[in-house]
Amino acid sequence: MTDAKTPPKLAPGTLRIVPLGGLGDVGRNMTAFEIDGQIALVDCGVLFPEDHHPGVDLILPALDYLDGRLDDVVALVLTHGHEDHIGAVPYLLKRRADIPVFGSKLTLAFLAAKLREHRIRNFNLDAVEEGEILEVGNFEFEFLAVNHSIPDALAVAIRTSAGLVLHTGDFKMDQLPLDGRITDLRGFARLGEEGVDLFMADSTNAEVPGFTTPEIDVEPAIARVFDAAGGKLIVACFASHVHRVQQVMNMAAKHGRKVVYVGRSMVRNMSTARDLGYLKVPAGSLIELKDIDKYADNEVVIISTGSQGEPMAALSRIANKEHPVIEVGPGDTVLLASSLIPGNENSVYRVVNGLSKLGANVVHKGNALVHVSGHASAGELLYCYNILKPKNAMPVHGEVRHLIANGKLAEKTGMKPERVIVAADGDVIDLKAGKARKVGSIDASYIFVDGSFVGDISDSIMDRRILGEEGFISVITVVDLHNRSIVSGPEIQARGLAEDDSVFKDAKKRVADALTDAMRDGVDDSHRLQQVTRRAVGQWVSKSLRRRPMIVPVVVTT
């Protein structure tokens, strides 16, 4: 969060840009644009929690900035369908359901399924295509095709009386894309001739020299994995990476393997992509998970969620020997066909180690070319700056180091340093008469989602939640991994629950039994044992007390 400095009242004819997320993190991308009393939003995504966010499910952009201004929002524009760009839309529409939402056909299909899961009705989704120009209130939007690791991605040019802004969304310049849809550089050049007052470019790969490797270059490595796999083959990737799933589908057909999806989001998204024609499924190649036992291990490929080590995703459950259907062992192969989102390293390597310990051969980006990035590298960004010759630049999407690197690229092409704004979430930038400048900042703190609770989990909010809503349970256990036994505990302490702590006698036994069984099954790290603890307590509390408290497990190993 930046140091608070109250921005001045917005002058007529001035465009105000406020990043509400996505600057400093790889996630929760969202930007507000305001002119003459009307607000347009670009993207509304989530950030996934790290190990130091116990009990947190999701992190939202600074939606509170819109408090009291929701009726001024005339549009939400979505650049593409990844979770870090659309995952927070349900939480925005719960505040005002009829905000007009614009995006490509696939993006809105992914979003519609998500809104139905959140039981949001009467939403207003309008599909747009590249080349389309749309006037909404004080804004004119022009949509341009860009290439990314998901079909139907768009950049958006925003025209107002204060000037022209080009926001790339996430993009790269793959010249041999699997779907034949390249980034519209001719459109970029045309906008450059018109005059771009502010260029907001994806920074994720700004530190990487050269050009991003084409997606097609991944296929030989995937083919080698299929050729070498003698047993089960599990491919883990993002549930929205239609291109990667298509490559695996094609390779499975060549090798005579049936395909089964594992993970709710994978099933949902790939069904949607198939229905809309973005995913081509060879006839007879897709089977249900319940039918997997009808086939030999070498006759099936499993496409799974969990490539980022998410604790409750399918791959983590498989690695922890907790999946109800799928097990892995010697002779099996697991392919992690995805990038590593910064902050997820520990979680991913924890899953890799768990799978390796079970005897599986784990293939990942670190030991084979099984994934390429969906983001433009430095050479591509330089190309864009030279085409556009923008008057001002404001790097977006990335950690601080990525934003700084992107800004330095802009300067290399001749932009004056004072025209390059390396902003942080909450910074307020005003654009007028061809000049952009920072004029203040607002609070853009994290908003946490923990189950049904949404808010800033500060001490005061936590106390209110503990005492007035679902409650809080801590569980402390000391275990001896060598003897696979419990040394002390489990000790359970509760706050915000009406029941006396003595009511947890049965829960303590359940935790002790679950931990002992897990250690006997070879679980030997505190993180996984904490997952076991949280699950055991959560199931007991849900069934016995009909509550869903925050559970903070601590397992000390000796």
Side-chain angles (χ1 to χ4, degrees):
M1 184 181 72
T2 57
D3 293 333
K5 176 191 172 187
T6 303
K9 183 178 178 180
L10 182 58
T14 299
L15 178 64
R16 175 158 290 176
I17 301 107
V18 183
L20 303 179
L23 304 192
D25 295 305
V26 180
R28 73 173 200 140
N29 296 289
M30 187 176 187
T31 308
F33 297 83
E34 179 181 357
I35 188 168
D36 295 333
Q38 294 185 348
I39 298 173
L41 306 170
V42 173
D43 290 331
C44 186
V46 295
L47 174 68
F48 292 101
E50 300 180 26
D51 288 346
H52 59 275
H53 297 127
V56 174
D57 297 322
L58 299 170
I59 302 171
L60 306 182
L63 300 179
D64 291 347
Y65 173 73
L66 300 171
D67 286 351
R69 302 292 310 278
L70 286 169
D71 288 341
D72 297 333
V73 177
V74 297
L76 167 61
V77 174
L78 302 175
T79 59
H80 63 283
H82 280 150
E83 284 294 302
D84 60 333
H85 291 257
I86 70 169
V89 176
Y91 300 93
L92 174 64
L93 296 191
K94 285 177 182 178
R95 300 178 178 214
R96 180 188 153 199
D98 65 342
I99 294 174
V101 183
F102 302 95
S104 65
K105 184 168 64 172
L106 182 65
T107 300
L108 295 187
F110 282 175
L111 175 61
K114 185 180 297 293
L115 295 178
R116 286 191 290 269
E117 285 187 354
H118 282 260
R119 299 180 181 178
I120 296 175
R121 302 287 183 265
N122 302 319
F123 47 79
N124 183 3
L125 308 186
D126 293 295
V128 295
E129 297 180 351
E130 59 260 31
E132 187 171 342
I133 297 177
L134 185 71
E135 288 191 22
V136 183
N138 297 330
F139 301 88
E140 180 183 274
F141 303 108
E142 180 177 353
F143 300 96
L144 300 94
V146 291
N147 181 249
H148 186 41
S149 56
I150 186 173
D152 250 9
L154 297 168
V156 57
I158 305 171
R159 294 184 180 88
T160 70
S161 60
L164 171 61
V165 177
L166 176 58
H167 191 302
T168 66
D170 286 353
F171 85 112
K172 61 179 177 177
M173 296 184 187
D174 193 333
Q175 298 303 297
L176 299 170
L178 299 178
D179 59 2
R181 185 174 178 271
I182 64 173
T183 293
D184 185 5
L185 296 180
R186 290 188 298 177
F188 278 32
R190 174 175 47 78
L191 292 174
E193 292 297 323
E194 179 180 340
V196 174
D197 293 285
L198 180 63
F199 183 41
M200 302 173 68
D202 176 11
S203 306
T204 312
N205 266 5
E207 292 183 311
V208 180
F211 283 65
T212 301
T213 305
E215 292 277 352
I216 198 169
D217 286 5
V218 171
E219 291 190 2
I222 294 178
R224 287 192 290 272
V225 172
F226 271 82
D227 290 341
K232 286 192 186 77
L233 175 55
I234 300 173
V235 179
C237 65
F238 291 116
S240 54
H241 202 333
V242 179
H243 296 323
R244 188 70 70 246
V245 171
Q246 185 69 71
Q247 288 176 308
V248 174
M249 280 270 184
N250 296 343
M251 204 62 64
K254 289 181 181 179
H255 287 76
R257 286 184 182 247
K258 301 291 185 182
V259 175
V260 59
Y261 301 139
V262 175
R264 185 179 64 175
S265 57
M266 182 69 72
V267 173
R268 181 189 67 205
N269 286 354
M270 292 308 120
S271 297
T272 299
R274 180 183 185 179
D275 291 343
L276 295 178
Y278 294 95
L279 181 68
K280 309 298 182 185
V281 179
S285 63
L286 198 61
I287 63 171
E288 299 287 338
L289 179 60
K290 62 182 177 62
D291 296 325
I292 195 170
D293 289 338
K294 298 177 183 178
Y295 299 87
D297 287 350
N298 62 0
E299 295 177 336
V300 176
V301 58
I302 298 161
I303 303 180
S304 167
T305 57
S307 63
Q308 297 303 304
E310 306 95 314
M312 297 309 294
L315 192 64
S316 290
R317 296 168 66 196
I318 293 168
N320 294 339
K321 300 176 66 174
E322 296 169 353
H323 196 279
V325 178
I326 301 169
E327 297 179 352
V328 298
D332 297 332
T333 301
V334 179
L335 167 61
L336 272 66
S338 66
S339 60
L340 226 174
I341 294 177
N344 291 349
E345 294 90 349
N346 290 341
S347 297
V348 172
Y349 291 130
R350 191 178 294 119
V351 170
V352 170
N353 287 331
L355 294 166
S356 299
K357 188 174 292 186
L358 294 174
N361 174 35
V362 185
V363 183
H364 52 85
K365 188 179 179 182
N367 57 29
L369 182 59
V370 291
H371 179 77
V372 296
S373 176
H375 303 271
S377 297
E380 293 152 276
L381 293 171
L382 288 170
Y383 199 95
C384 287
Y385 284 117
N386 284 325
I387 288 177
L388 293 167
K389 295 294 182 185
K391 295 177 183 175
N392 304 272
M394 178 179 157
V396 294
H397 301 172
E399 297 181 344
V400 174
R401 60 193 173 94
H402 303 137
L403 304 175
I404 292 172
N406 194 351
K408 290 187 180 301
L409 293 175
E411 292 178 22
K412 283 183 178 180
T413 64
M415 290 193 70
K416 295 180 180 179
E418 61 268 25
R419 293 288 185 141
V420 179
I421 301 173
V422 179
D425 290 339
D427 282 347
V428 178
I429 293 88
D430 282 357
L431 176 66
K432 178 73 173 180
K435 185 172 182 179
R437 62 189 183 93
K438 179 182 172 182
V439 297
S441 60
I442 57 97
D443 183 4
S445 301
Y446 284 177
I447 297 176
F448 296 97
V449 178
D450 172 22
S452 60
F453 174 77
V454 179
D456 173 12
I457 305 185
S458 60
D459 290 343
S460 61
I461 296 292
M462 180 65 76
D463 287 343
R464 188 178 72 212
R465 176 174 187 242
I466 288 168
L467 297 175
E469 297 182 32
E470 293 293 329
F472 173 92
I473 296 175
S474 66
V475 189
I476 303 174
T477 314
V478 180
V479 301
D480 181 344
L481 292 178
H482 179 72
N483 293 316
R484 300 179 182 179
S485 63
I486 294 175
V487 177
S488 175
E491 294 298 328
I492 297 180
Q493 294 183 338
R495 291 178 62 194
L497 296 170
E499 295 80 5
D500 186 86
D501 284 355
S502 63
V503 78
F504 294 109
K505 181 178 179 180
D506 184 46
K508 291 180 181 180
K509 182 178 185 305
R510 291 194 178 208
V511 171
D513 290 345
L515 288 174
T516 301
D517 290 344
M519 288 186 287
R520 288 173 179 170
D521 287 340
V523 177
D524 61 358
D525 72 79
S526 58
H527 178 82
R528 290 168 63 189
L529 292 173
Q530 285 169 182
Q531 290 178 317
V532 171
T533 301
R534 180 182 287 114
R535 191 160 39 252
V537 174
Q539 290 171 350
W540 182 87
V541 172
S542 176
K543 182 178 179 180
S544 302
L545 304 181
R546 304 295 181 186
R547 303 287 286 275
R548 194 181 180 205
M550 175 179 282
I551 300 168
V552 178
V554 177
V555 176
V556 179
T557 59
T558 62

